[in-house]
Amino acid sequence: MKIVVANWKMNLGVRESAALAKGVLRVLRGLPAVPEVILAPTFPALPSVGKILSRSRVRLAAQTMHAQEVGAFTGDVSVKVLKEVGVQVVIIGHSEQRRDHGETDHGVHIKVVAALAHGLDAIVCVGEPLAVHDAGESNGYVHDQLQTILKGVEVGRRHRLFVAYEPLWAIGTGHTPTLHDIEVMHDHIRTTLSTLDIAGVIGLYGGSVRLENAYELLHSSHVDGVLVGEASARMSSLTEIIRIASERS
Ligand code: PGA
């Protein structure tokens, strides 16, 4: 089954998020085969979107979290509170969190451990900046990220671990690696994870996923699914990407 993760970032308000979630459910009802869909709205929209999704198989995700359950962390939202409002999945280490909030690989590691311990599925984002890509050093860069983030992490039966390969230079730019490069990176990620004794990880690609490239990405046997930003915040492109995913589900 292919996976579509919609990362709505800060692009939609509470009402818009609820409307789009309802639209997604309508589209899924009409599909012969249903892909796995995960919706990640802005924090204040989590309860209302969660209510809409409650009797469906569409899963509710948060865009980040704090690893602590409670405490003096102004402006943060704890993993425990996310669970209270029905969150099942959390995106951790997105490059925009790294850029804007100084998130480090070590910080991502701590959050992943906390998310899994609380029974949430974790979507871990990795990916290289442009200079590293241009220097031909992407594999080593992503390898080091995974080493720091996932070393010693145990993936139990209660939760799933996703690794989203999101090259920084592809996010929101309209530029993407070639399909071949994406497939090679996914193989490289799996090999790295096996050296860490981690199996069963779900591999996503993210970074300028659009209608134009969704077909080839979702038809690749190396890629389990897509993490979609900008194109997921519009009903027409999101539902079309879900439809493409359903052909492979
Ligand atoms: P984009 O974002 O699809 O707008 O490039 C992807 C992401 O940031 O997860």
Side-chain angles (χ1 to χ4, degrees), residues 61-244:
Q63 298 176 11
T64 186
M65 57 171 253
H66 195 285
Q68 298 297 319
E69 289 192 358
V70 67
F73 301 102
T74 303
D76 279 312
V77 179
S78 86
V79 55
K80 201 168 157 212
V81 171
L82 292 179
K83 282 195 73 176
E84 258 181 72
V85 296
V87 166
Q88 298 146 305
V89 184
V90 61
I91 299 172
I92 306 176
H94 191 281
S95 67
E96 286 151 11
Q97 280 291 316
R98 293 171 185 262
R99 181 194 67 201
D100 299 337
H101 300 285
E103 186 142 272
T104 62
D105 288 333
H106 180 64
V108 175
H109 168 78
I110 292 170
K111 290 186 181 184
V112 171
V113 171
L116 296 180
H118 281 83
L120 294 181
D121 290 350
I123 301 176
V124 175
C125 300
V126 294
E128 78 286 353
L130 185 59
V132 171
H133 171 259
D134 288 348
E137 288 164 5
S138 305
N139 279 9
Y141 188 92
V142 169
H143 176 273
D144 291 351
Q145 284 188 311
L146 291 170
Q147 281 274 346
T148 307
I149 295 170
L150 295 178
K151 198 167 183 183
V153 168
E154 283 183 25
V155 187
R157 292 222 185 97
R158 284 172 59 222
H159 42 244
R160 294 176 304 164
L161 182 63
F162 300 72
V163 171
Y165 171 52
E166 298 210 304
L168 271 54
W169 51 275
I171 296 176
T173 60
H175 301 299
T176 52
T178 63
L179 181 62
H180 177 259
D181 285 354
I182 291 170
E183 291 180 336
V184 168
M185 181 56 88
H186 274 79
D187 291 345
H188 171 64
I189 289 171
R190 287 204 170 86
T191 308
T192 304
L193 293 176
S194 71
T195 66
L196 294 171
D197 260 345
I198 298 176
V201 167
I202 299 159
L204 307 176
Y205 170 76
S208 295
V209 176
R210 308 272 190 271
L211 262 186
E212 301 76 49
N213 55 18
Y215 185 90
E216 66 166 14
L217 286 165
L218 287 164
H219 279 72
S220 164
S221 57
H222 300 247
V223 180
D224 298 316
V226 288
L227 173 48
V228 192
E230 194 187 304
S232 76
R234 287 188 307 274
M235 184 80 85
S236 55
S237 42
L238 177 58
T239 56
E240 211 41 54
I241 291 169
I242 290 172
R243 247 187 263 280
I244 293 168

Side-chain angles (χ1 to χ4, degrees), residues 23-87:
V24 166
L25 292 187
R26 263 198 308 276
V27 169
L28 288 174
R29 263 182 239 124
L31 292 176
V34 178
E36 177 169 355
V37 177
I38 300 172
L39 303 181
T42 188
F43 279 134
L46 284 169
S48 50
V49 172
K51 213 175 273 173
I52 290 162
L53 303 182
S54 62
R55 281 204 227 109
S56 77
R57 285 160 66 188
V58 177
R59 294 157 68 78
L60 182 67
Q63 298 176 11
T64 186
M65 57 171 253
H66 195 285
Q68 298 297 319
E69 289 192 358
V70 67
F73 301 102
T74 303
D76 279 312
V77 179
S78 86
V79 55
K80 201 168 157 212
V81 171
L82 292 179
K83 282 195 73 176
E84 258 181 72
V85 296
V87 166

